[in-house]
Amino acid sequence: MKLYIKYMVSIRCKMMVKSELEKLGLRYGVVELGDVEVLGSITAEQRSQLKSALLRSGLELMDDQRAMLIEKIKNVIVEMVHYADDPPKTNFSDYLSVKLDYDYTYLANIFSEVTGTTIEKFIIAHKIERVKELLLYDELNLSEISYKLNYSSVAHLSNQFKKVTGLTPTYFKQLKRKRRITLDNV
């Protein structure tokens, strides 16, 4: 049985969910960002207890199909931008369609309708947060960051960065004190 969990955006969240499942005596298979494969059945009482435990940790067990799909879209994007060694070299629209097995137009329409923003803007926001993170780590130069995040050029990355943050990447790097936005607040 699959359970869908909202706001599950980090490895730490996965660890917390595993811990709560173990406390309830629930066996699980795969725990991914946003969903958990529970082995066997889950009683209404266990589901209620899990829901309460997750809420205390800032996570939410989901029931609504549309909300689950939106969360899946967000999790695929977060995983793709923040955790993949190399983002896919295909269009993000094709990648999302294949990964979620839905037509991209349908995904884009439902995402915009529910969140009030486009998938493209959501991806850009996450890519810029990833750029900030990589700039602060100071391990890669702007060309390497541009290549790593699949930008067509350093100029494209710089223009998009300035449009979103109001700063150039170089100036941002000099500021270093500017705090990053947590992933679940992007």
Side-chain angles (χ1 to χ4, degrees):
M1 165 186 235
K2 265 220 196 255
L3 299 177
Y4 297 96
I5 302 169
K6 193 172 184 177
Y7 308 123
M8 193 173 165
V9 295
S10 69
I11 294 167
R12 194 169 299 182
C13 291
K14 288 166 78 170
M15 290 171 34
M16 197 283 307
V17 168
K18 287 178 183 179
S19 171
E20 293 301 332
L21 290 168
E22 288 165 4
K23 285 179 191 173
L24 291 170
L26 294 170
R27 292 187 13 237
Y28 57 88
V30 179
V31 177
E32 294 293 332
L33 295 179
D35 61 67
V36 177
E37 183 72 37
V38 175
L39 305 174
S41 60
I42 181 170
T43 67
E45 184 178 333
Q46 286 173 317
R47 186 176 180 85
S48 175
Q49 289 173 339
L50 180 61
K51 191 171 190 165
S52 297
L54 293 174
L55 277 173
R56 284 192 298 273
S57 300
L59 302 176
E60 186 179 326
L61 192 58
M62 297 172 46
D63 298 317
D64 177 30
Q65 293 295 326
R66 286 166 44 112
M68 285 189 249
L69 183 57
I70 298 303
E71 206 56 30
K72 282 183 186 177
I73 294 168
K74 288 179 177 181
N75 287 329
V76 167
I77 292 168
V78 166
E79 201 169 291
M80 173 181 65
V81 173
H82 295 278
Y83 300 114
D85 291 330
D86 291 312
K89 301 298 180 196
T90 63
N91 290 342
F92 287 127
S93 57
D94 294 339
Y95 181 78
L96 282 170
S97 291
V98 168
K99 192 87 170 156
L100 297 174
D101 198 27
Y102 281 97
D103 178 63
Y104 180 75
T105 305
Y106 173 74
L107 294 174
N109 287 339
I110 198 166
F111 190 88
S112 297
E113 186 181 311
V114 172
T115 65
T117 189
T118 65
I119 289 177
E120 182 184 12
K121 286 182 181 177
F122 188 79
I123 291 170
I124 289 169
H126 277 276
K127 284 178 80 172
I128 296 304
E129 283 308 306
R130 182 73 172 132
V131 170
K132 287 180 185 179
E133 180 181 358
L134 293 170
L135 285 171
L136 292 175
Y137 286 162
D138 210 17
E139 293 174 357
L140 302 174
N141 64 37
L142 213 48
S143 304
E144 293 166 328
I145 292 171
S146 172
Y147 178 78
K148 182 175 179 67
L149 294 178
N150 205 22
Y151 278 94
S152 58
S153 66
V154 173
H156 181 224
L157 181 151
S158 296
N159 288 336
Q160 201 169 71
F161 191 92
K162 183 159 184 163
K163 190 175 183 181
V164 171
T165 65
L167 307 168
T168 65
T170 307
Y171 186 71
F172 175 82
K173 194 173 180 177
Q174 292 168 356
L175 284 179
K176 285 201 182 183
R177 284 178 246 112
K178 183 157 176 83
R179 301 193 186 238
R180 290 187 59 245
I181 301 170
T182 59
L183 290 183
D184 51 347
N185 289 328
V186 173

